[in-house]
Amino acid sequence: MKLFLDTAHVADIETAHSWGILGGITTNPSLAAKEGLEFHDLIKAITDIVSGPVSAEVVADTPEDMLAQASELVEIADNVVIKVPLTRAGVSAGARLTAEGIPINVTLVFSPAQAILAASIGATFVSPFLGRVDDIANDGLALLAEISEIYEMQGYDTQILAASLRHPQHVVESAKLGADAATMPFDVMDKLFNHPLTDIGNERFNRDWDAYQQSLAERRDA
Ligand code: E4P
């Protein structure tokens, strides 16, 4: 399962990139709005750092307007993936984009039926929003499990991108349920590293190493 960052914040993207674990980026209009940069400049800055897929969302009411935006976004870099909402207009635009060989990520997916629509138009990614399903007291992981089962059964090529993840356990469970990728906020990715026994063990190894070097130095000097 690839690890994606769900952000448009360039400094966080640089940090995660430096960790060597960054498989791609998803952005959305709300995340982009926080950054105070022109959208195209923002996507360019992100694609300058990340070589994996970078999702850039179209925001319009008609397929034609979505396609017009998509045609500009795909010019920014080869790894731009066009994010379309799971609306009638979004699916219509998405179908035309995939027919032209342009990769799409179908977003705002909250049901297995919607995930079937995304696969039927040949989407590269489908993004079920687990956290937002949990927010309304439903079961986001159960949704992912159902989509995973259907995709396996049908042999769909569309990759499942578990989205709207809120904590490390969402990431672990997504991996267990067969998600191809998981996109998460920076703080969730950062928390994947944490374990108190790693900190204690690392501290002890460092201390023992220093003592070992010290004793060798003393023996050399004796
Ligand atoms: C996915 O691509 C979306 O940007 C995202 O995961 C939404 O997450 P949220 O529910 O935390 O806003």
Side-chain angles (χ1 to χ4, degrees), residues 5-7 25-31 55 57 83 105-108 110 127-133 135 161-166 183-185:
L5 212 46
D6 192 31
T7 187
I25 298 291
T26 52
T27 65
N28 65 38
S30 312
L31 294 169
S55 290
E57 192 157 342
K83 216 174 180 192
N105 173 0
V106 180
T107 190
L108 290 171
F110 295 95
S127 292
F129 276 33
L130 310 195
R132 292 195 197 182
V133 170
D135 287 345
L161 204 181
S164 183
L165 304 184
R166 301 280 158 78
T183 190
M184 65 205 80

Side-chain angles (χ1 to χ4, degrees), residues 76-89:
I76 297 174
D78 289 345
N79 55 334
V80 169
V81 172
I82 303 300
K83 216 174 180 192
V84 295
L86 196 293
T87 57
R88 287 168 181 78

Side-chain angles (χ1 to χ4, degrees), residues 7-16 35 37 41-43 45-46 49:
T7 187
H9 192 60
V10 170
D12 286 347
I13 292 169
E14 277 169 343
T15 303
E35 302 305 317
L37 272 181
D41 295 342
L42 192 55
I43 296 300
I46 295 170
I49 303 166

Side-chain angles (χ1 to χ4, degrees), residues 22 24 28 43 68 99 104 108-109 113 124-125 134 146 154 168 184 193:
L22 194 53
N28 65 38
I43 296 300
I104 64 164
L108 290 171
V109 168
T124 300
F125 297 106
D134 291 351
E146 264 194 281
Q154 295 295 326
M184 65 205 80
F193 286 90

Side-chain angles (χ1 to χ4, degrees), residues 16-17 19 23 55 63 70 73 76 100 105-106 115 144 146 163 175 178 188:
H17 176 67
W19 292 334
S55 290
L73 291 168
I76 297 174
E100 287 173 33
N105 173 0
V106 180
L144 177 60
E146 264 194 281
V188 173

Side-chain angles (χ1 to χ4, degrees), residues 2 11 14 30 32 38 67 70 72 106 121 133 154 159 174 182 195 213 221:
K2 297 231 166 78
E14 277 169 343
S30 312
E38 289 291 340
L67 290 168
E72 291 182 4
V106 180
I121 59 167
V133 170
Q154 295 295 326
Q159 296 174 53
S174 295
H195 198 289
Q213 296 306 310
D221 294 346

